[in-house]
Amino acid sequence: MTTTLTAPALSAVDRCDRCNAQAYVRVVLDGGSDLLFCSHHWGRHESVLRPKAVQIVDETHRLTLTPSAE
C-alpha cells in the first residue's frame, strides 16, 4: 500500500520560520515535519532543501496575482 502525503494549503496565519513574515512555501521533510518560508527565505534555502524534501507546496505565484476588475 502506498501512502500519499498531502500538505495543507498555506493561509495568512502561516508564518515563515526564519523571519515571521507570511509563508508562501511549505517544505515537508522525511518523517512528516515541515518548514515554512516566505519567498525571500525560500530563495535563500531552496538549493539545499529541494533535494531533501518529500513535498514542496510553493504558492509564491500568489505574490504576483492581480485582483480581478469586478
Side-chain angles (χ1 to χ4, degrees), residues 7-60:
L10 294 162
S11 71
V13 297
D14 292 310
R15 310 312 286 176
C16 176
D17 290 330
R18 297 288 301 174
C19 70
N20 207 32
Q22 184 173 347
Y24 288 94
V25 179
R26 178 186 310 274
V27 179
V28 180
L29 302 173
D30 192 28
S33 61
D34 66 350
L35 299 169
L36 300 175
F37 293 101
C38 64
S39 180
H40 166 77
H41 283 109
W42 173 239
R44 294 191 63 183
H45 300 290
E46 178 180 7
S47 62
V48 173
L49 290 172
R50 189 169 286 279
K52 298 175 183 179
V54 173
Q55 183 180 19
I56 297 172
V57 177
D58 184 347
E59 297 183 7
T60 55

